[in-house]
Amino acid sequence: MCWGTTGTAQALGPDDASAIAFGSARNVIGALVLLAIAAARGRLVAGVREIERQPLLGAALTAAAFQLCFFGGVRLAGVAIGTVVGIGSGPIWGGALGWLVRGERPGRRWAVATTLALAGVSLLATTDSGGDPVDARGILLALGAGLGYASFALWSKHLTERHDPDLVMTWVFALSATLLLPLGIIAGIGPLLTASGIATVLWLGVVSLALAYLLFGRGIIGVRVATATTLSLAEPLTAAMLAIVLLDEELTPAAVAGIGLVLAGLVAIAMATPRQLSALPTRRRR
């Protein structure tokens, strides 16, 4: 739900700020918050020495790619459709990557829940009722965001099984911010240096990144990659509702049905039995 505020916050921010500027600024603010929390816990230096380098780099690169593709997709395709395609494609990518890389067979419950939720997010796309054709570039960027998010979830799953999840998220986004900062400077952060720009960036960094990924890092310990990406379909549900309430996008009958289907899918995937949970890999520490 924290992630679901991202597209609306961007839409309410400065119109002349680029997607790259939004993405890099969000990452930098979020990383600073996470670093401050780690420093307050006295774990800042120890944490970076413990975490494996290759998975850390993989998570940081895919997180950065997700940021750029997502903000670009939302800017070109609209809040509802960009979020629906970007996050809605995540479970498909996540199920495939989890199976190919980790040998995690998604299972019947995942298939049913994901089918329901994907049907729902497809219907939610109708909330973008402007009548203009959807920009194909926005759809492609949103699909790239879905792949980036699923890849990030895969790397994060590997890291949080072995290390403190808060520290994992801290250093992943510290490195990701380092990668994105030059791009943000080149794109121009001037439009963000206004009252609305600063408010938007603070919300994006503190709530939609730092808080969201602290919760994500702890949550992914107990679920498979495919399950995590399916649960994340709460994001387009939240985005669609905010677009309706704050951006005056129309709540069509299809959107109402879509909301119900997404909720049904989330309930189905969340109602795992103790036996199903016990079959998950146990968390290991080095």
Side-chain angles (χ1 to χ4, degrees):
M1 292 179 71
C2 290
W3 288 333
T5 67
T6 303
T8 299
Q10 179 185 4
L12 294 174
D15 293 333
D16 52 347
S18 68
I20 295 176
F22 272 117
S24 60
R26 175 195 187 221
N27 214 320
V28 169
I29 296 298
L32 290 174
V33 172
L34 292 172
L35 287 169
I37 293 173
R41 294 175 58 200
R43 294 278 290 155
L44 187 59
V45 176
V48 73
R49 292 175 179 172
E50 296 171 2
I51 300 176
E52 301 161 81
R53 297 296 187 269
Q54 182 177 344
L56 176 62
L57 180 60
L61 287 172
T62 51
F66 167 75
Q67 300 275 342
L68 296 178
C69 289
F70 180 79
F71 278 99
V74 167
R75 175 58 61 88
L76 293 174
V79 173
I81 292 179
T83 306
V84 162
V85 174
I87 306 304
S89 64
I92 300 172
W93 296 117
L97 291 175
W99 191 352
L100 292 173
V101 178
R102 293 176 57 89
E104 297 178 350
R105 294 181 179 272
R108 186 177 302 173
R109 179 185 294 272
W110 173 86
V112 172
T114 301
T115 299
L116 287 171
L118 286 177
V121 295
S122 298
L123 289 173
L124 282 174
T126 64
T127 58
D128 187 13
S129 55
D132 296 326
V134 178
D135 194 319
R137 297 171 300 168
I139 297 297
L140 289 175
L141 284 172
L143 288 172
L147 176 58
Y149 167 63
S151 302
F152 163 76
L154 185 72
W155 287 116
S156 299
K157 176 69 174 173
H158 174 87
L159 289 168
T160 55
E161 286 176 348
R162 293 160 174 79
H163 308 286
D164 183 301
D166 293 354
L167 289 176
V168 167
M169 293 298 114
T170 297
W171 287 109
V172 163
F173 285 99
L175 181 55
S176 179
T178 303
L179 296 172
L180 287 175
L181 183 58
L183 295 178
I185 294 174
I186 292 172
I189 60 173
L192 298 178
L193 301 179
T194 60
S196 64
I198 292 172
T200 300
V201 168
L202 286 175
W203 178 273
L204 290 173
V206 176
V207 177
S208 78
L209 193 145
L211 175 59
Y213 283 102
L214 285 176
L215 295 172
F216 175 86
R218 291 171 178 266
I220 200 172
I221 295 170
V223 298
R224 294 181 176 90
V225 174
T227 302
T229 50
T230 298
L231 286 168
S232 299
L233 292 176
E235 176 175 354
L237 174 63
T238 304
M241 295 304 296
L242 289 175
I244 291 163
V245 174
L246 298 180
L247 303 180
D248 296 325
E249 293 187 2
E250 183 182 352
L251 182 60
T252 64
V256 174
I259 290 169
L261 286 171
V262 173
L263 289 174
L266 295 178
V267 169
I269 200 69
M271 292 177 63
T273 65
R275 178 177 297 180
Q276 289 171 316
L277 290 176
S278 66
L280 294 171
T282 56
R283 182 175 165 195
R284 300 181 298 278
R285 291 210 184 233
R286 286 190 170 185

